[in-house]
Amino acid sequence: MAKLTHEDILAYLEEATILELNDLVSAIEEKFGVTAAAPVAAAPVAEAAEAAGPSEVTVTLTDVGGTKVAVIKAVREITGLGLVDAKGLVDKTPSVIKENIKPEEAEEIKKKLMDAGASVEIK
């Protein structure tokens, strides 16, 4: 097997989809027994002054609904958090799931969470 350079790895990461990156993180967690948990802060996002709408938004889980397990699974998939951290976010509703993201990505996240039975707010 040829050794990959940092440039090769970075080039792959630039081209990979969110789902491919999530699968990669999960495989790394499983292979090496680690958890890739990024800190999540509930900081407010400044309102965009453009007429076209904001360029960055925050997705907040506002209500879990009746299917908590499905919502935890969706949060894990979206954030790449481990089970305990994802459950912690869901248990502390309302919780910021992702912030400073493009509105298009926020809509995809909203759909996944709503499909799991949760209520979501995008600001």
Side-chain angles (χ1 to χ4, degrees), residues 50-100:
E50 300 175 15
S55 61
E56 293 183 338
V57 296
T58 297
V59 178
T60 304
L61 178 65
T62 57
D63 185 47
V64 177
T67 55
K68 187 174 181 179
V69 172
V71 175
I72 292 170
K73 287 180 181 179
V75 169
R76 285 188 71 198
E77 178 184 339
I78 292 163
T79 62
L81 293 173
L83 179 61
V84 173
D85 293 328
K87 182 181 181 303
L89 273 180
V90 171
D91 286 343
K92 295 176 185 169
T93 302
S95 301
V96 172
I97 301 301
K98 275 207 166 179
E99 58 186 348
N100 301 327

Side-chain angles (χ1 to χ4, degrees), residues 4 8 21 29 41 63 71-74 84 101 104-105 108:
L4 295 174
D8 294 335
L21 292 173
E29 288 176 338
D63 185 47
V71 175
I72 292 170
K73 287 180 181 179
V84 173
I101 59 173
E104 298 80 18
E105 182 183 354
E108 291 174 18

